[in-house]
């Protein structure tokens, strides 16, 4: 069987987490990934569980608030954020917590990040899937490393990882080559696209130059059993109809190339 195709709640921003569950149910997505962010609903375990039950859509993953703009969500202590994400995952039935690596200024957190993530997996029984990021470009010719121990999870010993195609596009990294390096440590996919600029575009898959179709076909050929989650930006959509069209196109793209 092909992997489940989920919808990240971030894909409907600026609409809410509640709207994301409605879109997922209406369009036939298999699951939802909850991005814990500035939307207050996303931070409340009981509300998230109720939305899943009401719409009949399971929750595949919890994305911990480890982004730059969620640094103060659930406090500022990073390990505490991951523990709360694990608690939410257990309550709502998700088996994956998605997280970004530490920023370079989080030196104490970063010092034992790899071992700390492994310890969390052992204590919680969950997969903590560390996501690929990218160098921050200081000029057209060089980048600045803003993540520790690094932006490429294939260079570390994480047991579970996430490949995000928009981030791969910024890094100008071949996502298929990254998947090959990761092997069975690739357990989660953020399906999106990019055009190779320094902006985190999160385009509808197939509208960029990252090779999203080839990546999905590669993933399918390896017998991938993890989760594929559509994580696109629809903030420029002017109407609900435009947003629905982008979400439906992304789902159809995933089904076609994972078949």
């Amino acid at each position: 069987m092909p992997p489940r195709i989920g919808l990240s709640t971030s894909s409907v921003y600026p609409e809410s987490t509640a709207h994301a569950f409605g879109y997922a149910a209406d369009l036939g997505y298999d699951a939802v990934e909850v991005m814990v962010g500035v939307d207050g609903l996303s931070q409340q375990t009981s509300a998230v569980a109720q939305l899943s039950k009401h719409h009949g859509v399971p929750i595949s993953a919890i994305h911990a608030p480890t982004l730059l703009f969620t640094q103060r969500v659930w406090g500022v202590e990073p390990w505490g954020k991951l523990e709360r994400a694990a608690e939410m995952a257990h309550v709502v039935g998700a088996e994956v917590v998605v997280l970004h690596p530490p920023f370079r200024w989080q030196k104490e957190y970063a010092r034992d990040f790899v071992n700390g993530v492994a310890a969390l997996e052992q204590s919680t029984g969950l997969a903590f899937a560390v996501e690929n990021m990218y160098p921050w470009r200081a000029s057209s010719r060089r980048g600045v490393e803003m993540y520790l121990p690094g932006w490429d999870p294939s260079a570390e010993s994480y047991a579970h990882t996430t490949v995000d195609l928009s981030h791969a596009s910024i890094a100008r990294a071949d996502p298929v080559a990254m998947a090959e390096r990761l092997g069975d440590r690739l357990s989660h996919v953020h399906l999106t696209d990019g055009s190779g600029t320094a902006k985190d575009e999160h385009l509808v898959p197939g509208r960029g130059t990252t090779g999203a179709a080839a990546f999905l076909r590669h993933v399918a050929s390896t017998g991938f059993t993890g989760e594929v989650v559509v994580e696109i930006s629809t903030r420029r959509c002017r109407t609900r109809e435009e947003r629905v069209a982008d979400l439906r196109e992304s789902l159809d793209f995933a089904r076609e190339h994972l078949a």
Side-chain angles (χ1 to χ4, degrees):
M1 289 182 60
R4 289 195 301 184
I5 303 167
L7 177 66
S8 169
T9 57
S10 66
S11 296
V12 308
Y13 181 84
E15 291 191 80
S16 71
T17 300
H19 287 101
F21 276 90
Y23 283 117
D26 291 345
L27 292 171
Y29 278 85
D30 301 316
V32 163
E33 176 179 307
V34 175
M35 171 73 80
V36 179
V38 294
D39 173 14
L41 275 178
S42 70
Q43 303 172 26
Q44 300 174 35
T45 299
S46 59
V48 168
Q50 184 58 38
L51 285 168
S52 175
K53 180 179 180 181
H54 175 74
H55 290 283
V57 181
I59 297 171
S60 59
I62 303 299
H63 196 313
T66 53
L67 287 71
L68 188 61
F69 70 89
T70 60
Q71 287 297 288
R72 295 191 176 278
V73 173
W74 282 355
V76 296
E77 205 287 304
W79 292 114
K81 292 171 180 277
L82 300 186
E83 290 166 359
R84 286 191 66 173
E87 292 169 3
M88 177 181 280
H90 278 304
V91 171
V92 303
E95 297 182 353
V96 178
V97 173
V98 179
L99 67 159
H100 291 186
F103 294 103
R104 64 184 301 175
W105 56 82
Q106 296 176 303
K107 293 182 179 179
E108 185 176 345
Y109 174 44
R111 189 171 296 120
D112 203 36
F113 182 70
V114 177
N115 292 332
V117 167
L120 275 174
E121 291 196 319
Q122 186 170 4
S123 65
T124 64
L126 299 169
F128 279 74
V130 181
E131 191 168 344
N132 65 305
M133 298 306 293
Y134 42 83
W136 288 16
R137 295 183 196 171
S139 71
S140 60
R141 291 182 292 179
R142 56 177 296 189
V144 176
E145 179 58 76
M146 292 300 292
Y147 299 96
L148 295 175
W151 63 265
D152 182 355
S154 70
E156 306 300 332
S157 60
Y158 308 119
H160 299 94
T161 60
T162 301
V163 167
D164 181 300
L165 297 185
S166 180
H167 298 170
S169 175
I170 300 171
R172 296 175 181 167
D174 180 351
V176 172
M178 185 178 290
E180 288 174 338
R181 292 194 300 273
L182 289 167
D184 60 8
R185 297 190 298 131
L186 174 59
S187 55
H188 204 73
V189 169
H190 280 169
L191 178 59
T192 179
D193 215 332
S195 61
T197 72
K199 295 178 62 177
D200 196 6
E201 297 170 291
H202 282 274
L203 303 176
V204 170
R207 295 186 187 175
T209 59
T210 317
F215 176 79
L216 288 184
R217 290 194 295 268
H218 169 78
V219 164
S221 72
T222 65
F224 177 78
T225 58
E227 303 282 350
V228 174
V229 174
V230 169
E231 190 184 77
I232 62 172
S233 174
T234 62
R235 67 184 64 190
R236 292 187 177 181
C237 292
R238 293 166 295 181
T239 65
R240 173 183 169 84
E241 289 71 26
E242 288 183 10
R243 179 164 287 120
V244 166
D246 282 357
L247 297 175
R248 180 180 288 117
E249 181 179 333
S250 299
L251 177 59
D252 291 344
F253 184 96
R255 286 176 172 162
E256 176 185 356
H257 297 291
L258 287 169

